Amino acid sequence: MHAFEHGAVMWDVARPRRTSRLAGVGMAGFRVRDLAPLRIVPHPAVTLFLDFGAGSPVLDDNRGQQRGSLVTGPGLGAGGAVRAWGQDLECIQVRLSPVIARAVLGSSTADLDGAAVPLDDMWGRGEASRLCERLADLSSWQERFALVDALLARRREAGPPVEPEVAQAWHRIVVSHGAVRVGSLAAEVGWSRKRLWSRFCSQLGLPPKQAGKLVRFDRAVHRLVAGEEAARVSADAGYADQSHLHRDVMAFTGSTPAKMVEEPFLTVDDIAWPPPGPPTSAVPPHAVTPAPPTWPKARLRASGEASGHL
């Protein structure tokens, strides 16, 4: 487990020792005693918040406040309008590739419509509540991760898969870091642009062009937090120039790139889901070491249980 201190707020962050049995699943556990309102930064994944603490996290999105165990679609937080806060929080956050989320949830992520939805609404009354009761009864994070992983695997096997062409298109967007054009995707899978757009939206919950922009933004903003210069990031990520990068960051977060690198959420993000390696082979080794946090009295330290986010 890792402890992260932001001013008077202490985050305890745990990661699984073992990778998930499912490709496209990432998990992390969080314990936070007093969380002040925190900006949610968009991410290209479907996210489950499994709440089992004494207090419930509050997520304020464009539809009002939501509490308890939730599921959110890809890109939640676009525009910078979503905040989370609460006291005595304990939860597991699960990130699902949109390709497997449809099966795990039992329905299309398009039903989420860019908002936070109670998880019981997706899984049927009581299933999420029973899971969280079991999580609260377990004594270690690793037992909790194993329980969640087993449930996800069962639901994945029983749920409806996305079409292979849709999965292939998503994979190409991810491996190209969002740089592939929709016309090229359609040609690769043998579909028309209109058909790709329709199937992609209905099964993954967002258009392919928006998916590419979100993947590109996510990679770029993490590189900025790691201390890389905006000029290099914008060039490597395929932006036309720095002003293009600036506009995308503003569109997704409602804030400037300079402000984004000070967001505690993004530092916690890299602790909970550490990047697998350098963003690009062209980046020198020093550039992928996260820069020291710039906010006052912030520090990181490792303690207790070793282990693989909010």
Side-chain angles (χ1 to χ4, degrees):
M1 175 169 284
H2 296 272
F4 167 81
E5 188 175 347
H6 176 218
V9 180
M10 177 68 73
W11 299 65
D12 290 324
V13 184
R15 301 194 302 265
R17 291 194 185 104
R18 299 180 179 179
T19 58
S20 172
R21 69 188 73 184
L22 294 176
V25 171
M27 287 187 281
F30 296 91
R31 183 184 295 121
V32 188
R33 292 305 171 208
D34 189 4
L35 180 65
L38 181 78
R39 186 201 312 262
I40 299 298
V41 179
H43 188 271
V46 172
T47 303
L48 311 183
F49 297 94
L50 304 175
D51 165 42
F52 56 91
S56 290
V58 179
L59 193 71
D60 193 349
D61 65 10
N62 57 2
R63 298 185 181 183
Q65 294 183 4
Q66 300 279 355
R67 295 177 180 268
S69 296
L70 305 170
V71 56
T72 70
L76 179 81
V82 180
R83 297 290 190 275
W85 67 88
Q87 294 181 324
D88 297 322
L89 307 181
E90 284 188 282
C91 69
I92 288 179
Q93 183 178 342
V94 182
R95 284 183 170 175
L96 301 173
S97 164
V99 168
I100 69 167
R102 185 186 190 204
V104 169
L105 295 177
S107 61
S108 171
T109 55
D111 297 339
L112 299 173
D113 194 24
V117 174
L119 189 52
D120 271 337
D121 287 0
M122 301 294 290
W123 280 359
R125 189 168 181 81
E127 183 168 355
S129 300
R130 289 191 296 270
L131 170 62
C132 292
E133 288 173 3
R134 294 179 65 189
L135 291 173
D137 289 339
L138 294 174
S139 59
S140 79
W141 285 108
Q142 299 308 317
E143 291 177 302
R144 292 168 182 148
F145 293 138
L147 173 63
V148 173
D149 198 52
L151 174 64
L152 296 177
R154 289 196 300 272
R155 292 191 63 88
R156 168 70 176 86
E157 184 156 343
V162 302
E163 293 177 90
E165 292 85 353
V166 173
Q168 180 182 342
W170 175 261
H171 175 73
R172 285 285 294 120
I173 289 171
V174 171
V175 299
S176 71
H177 306 299
V180 64
R181 295 182 177 277
V182 176
S184 298
L185 285 176
E188 287 182 29
V189 303
W191 284 353
S192 66
R193 289 172 60 100
K194 182 178 180 180
R195 186 178 187 186
L196 174 63
W197 188 93
S198 173
R199 299 293 181 85
F200 198 99
C201 284
S202 66
Q203 295 177 39
L204 301 191
L206 73 173
K209 184 175 181 179
Q210 181 68 7
K213 291 179 65 175
L214 181 57
V215 167
R216 181 175 61 181
F217 157 80
D218 179 68
R219 181 168 182 259
V221 77
H222 280 87
R223 290 180 63 178
L224 292 172
V225 171
E228 295 188 55
E229 295 182 355
R232 184 187 189 100
V233 172
S234 61
D236 289 348
Y239 291 98
D241 49 31
Q242 279 184 246
S243 64
H244 186 192
L245 170 63
H246 187 281
R247 289 195 301 273
D248 251 26
V249 172
M250 284 291 294
F252 277 113
T253 69
S255 188
T256 65
K259 281 292 185 183
M260 273 297 97
V261 301
E262 299 176 2
E263 287 290 328
F265 184 93
L266 289 170
T267 296
V268 173
D269 194 75
D270 273 346
I271 298 168
W273 287 272
T280 172
S281 58
V283 178
H286 71 272
V288 298
T289 302
T294 56
W295 45 87
K297 300 182 181 178
R299 66 180 185 270
L300 299 175
R301 68 176 184 266
S303 64
E305 183 180 4
S307 48
H309 330 230
L310 198 48

